[in-house]
Amino acid sequence: MLGKKRIALAIALILTFTLVAGCSKASKDKGYTATYQGEYMRVYNDESLLVEYAEKFDDSKYSITELENMVNNEINEFNSEYSKDNGMSLDSVKEEKGVAKVRLKFATIKDYVVYNNVYVNSEKKMEFFVGTYKEALEKKYKFDCDFYEAESNKIGKKKLDIDYILENEDSDRIMVINTTHGVTMRVEGTIKYVTGDVKMKNDSAFTSNGDDNYIIYLMEDKE
């Protein structure tokens, strides 16, 4: 039941992380479409995020306008108390076929992590990193884990290490995601390699909640 505050918290606590995504081609301006129940995000190379929360909508309890007002109040509170640069904003609030969908924009990964840790799940702190391979090394991330080609089902597939990846990819285009958060995500590029707990379906990656998930993708060629 959605109350007067902590709107995304109320939505997020209903999520199951057992997601079935069917996504259309996305753009930074138009966002994405999906068929799922849970939390979905679009990750951009500038470390901004578009995150959508969804739950069943009961219009006998509140209207979609009331929900939007509550979300805006929460955004204003977050930006006032936790963000110096208005790091959180509203993309849209809508109802589709009995499901309320709240899309939030975050200017940085840090804004999203703080929001999640304060509003969504304060009992279990989230780790979330997005950056180049060089930046990941500077942050002391270790790559001593087994990787798999993203399009494989991993069963019987060859385990790969970071040396293999660096030998076969343009290191200047390599982007790294590391997170302990369970979510469905798409990126601004092509996902090439993932660790064992990450599942793939089409262009979407499903990370496992609580595990040390790595995703390596190549930035889109702007030329």
Side-chain angles (χ1 to χ4, degrees), residues 11 22 24 27 31-32 50 58 79 91 98 109 114 120 130 143-144 147 161 188 192 196 198 217:
I11 293 174
S24 64
S27 70
Y32 51 81
L50 178 65
D58 186 351
N79 286 333
D91 181 82
I109 297 296
V114 170
V120 180
V130 177
F143 293 85
D144 53 352
F147 288 90
D161 59 23
E188 193 176 16
K192 296 295 296 288
V198 181
Y217 70 97

Side-chain angles (χ1 to χ4, degrees), residues 16 20 35 67 114 116 128 133 170 175 181 195 199-200:
T16 63
V20 179
T35 302
L67 174 59
V114 170
N116 186 85
F128 208 115
Y133 176 68
D170 180 356
M175 293 289 290
H181 186 50
T195 47
K199 310 302 180 186
M200 292 292 302

